[in-house]
Amino acid sequence: MSVQSNFSADKTLDCKGLACPMPVVRTKKAMEELLPGQVMEVQATDKGSLADLKSWANNTGHEFLGTIQEGEVWKHFLRKASTHEVKEETNFLRTISNEELQKKLEANEKLTLIDVREPAEYAFHRISLAISIPLGVLEERLDELQPDDDIYIICRSGKRSDMACQLLAEKGFTKITNVVPGMSGWNGPVEKQ
C-alpha cells in the first residue's frame, strides 16, 4: 500500500543506516511518545524494514498505513493504536541456539532451513542448506513449504525470524523453530558471493 506524498505525520523517526532489528526497536520506543491515533513516519534505508514494520504493527495492534520510497529511503507510516486495540507483543517460544542448529546440520538431520533476510544479505553470507525466502514474501511462498516438516527459521538477529515463525504458526505450520541469535552470531561454515 502506498500513501500520497503530501501525507503528514505527527512524528518523524530517523532509522536510516540501521539494520534489523533496530528500526523496529526504535519505532517501538518512539511509539510510546505518541497519543492514540497519531501517525509516525519511520525513515529507513534497510529494505527489510518494510516487512519488519508491517509484521511488528500486525503483532502489536498498531496500523501500518503504507510506505513511500524516495531514492534509497523508505518512509513507513504507522498509526498508534488505541488502548483497546493494542496487543501484547510476544516472542515465539520454540527457539534453538546457533550451536544446536550447527550440530543438527553436521549430523545431516532432515530439516528445512529458511533464511528470511533480504536477498543481498543472503547472497553475501549464508548457510549452504538455507533457502532464501525474505520475510516480505514469505506469505506468498507458503506453497513451497510442507506444514509438517521440521522448519528452522534464521535471520541476522533473531527478530525477523521470530516474526516469520509467528506467521507460519498462524498459517498452520506446527514444527517451527527460531534460530537465535542467527547469522550475526553464526560461527559455522558459510557460503559467500
Side-chain angles (χ1 to χ4, degrees), residues 82-155:
S82 64
T83 307
H84 71 277
E85 294 172 308
V86 173
K87 300 179 201 171
E88 184 177 335
E89 194 171 1
T90 59
N91 289 324
F92 194 75
L93 295 178
R94 191 168 171 192
T95 63
I96 188 171
S97 70
N98 287 2
E99 294 75 22
E100 291 170 305
L101 176 63
Q102 188 171 349
K103 287 178 186 172
K104 288 181 174 293
L105 294 173
E106 289 168 355
N108 291 317
E109 288 189 28
K110 186 176 184 320
L111 60 90
T112 301
L113 179 60
I114 306 297
D115 189 322
V116 294
R117 296 175 299 156
E118 289 300 305
E121 295 173 284
Y122 175 82
F124 288 104
H125 185 244
R126 65 188 172 275
I127 299 170
S128 63
L129 179 70
I131 301 164
S132 175
I133 305 180
L135 178 61
V137 298
L138 180 59
E139 193 165 5
E140 300 163 21
R141 294 179 58 187
L142 292 179
D143 60 339
E144 297 175 32
L145 305 173
Q146 299 301 316
D148 295 325
D149 283 357
D150 284 320
I151 299 174
Y152 293 81
I153 310 291
I154 196 164
C155 69

Side-chain angles (χ1 to χ4, degrees), residues 28-57:
K28 179 180 177 180
K29 183 171 176 61
M31 192 64 81
E32 294 171 4
E33 300 170 10
L34 293 180
L35 298 173
Q38 287 187 316
V39 173
M40 180 184 322
E41 174 185 331
V42 180
Q43 299 177 354
T45 50
D46 177 9
K47 184 178 179 184
S49 65
L50 175 59
D52 295 346
L53 288 168
K54 270 184 165 178
S55 244
W56 175 79

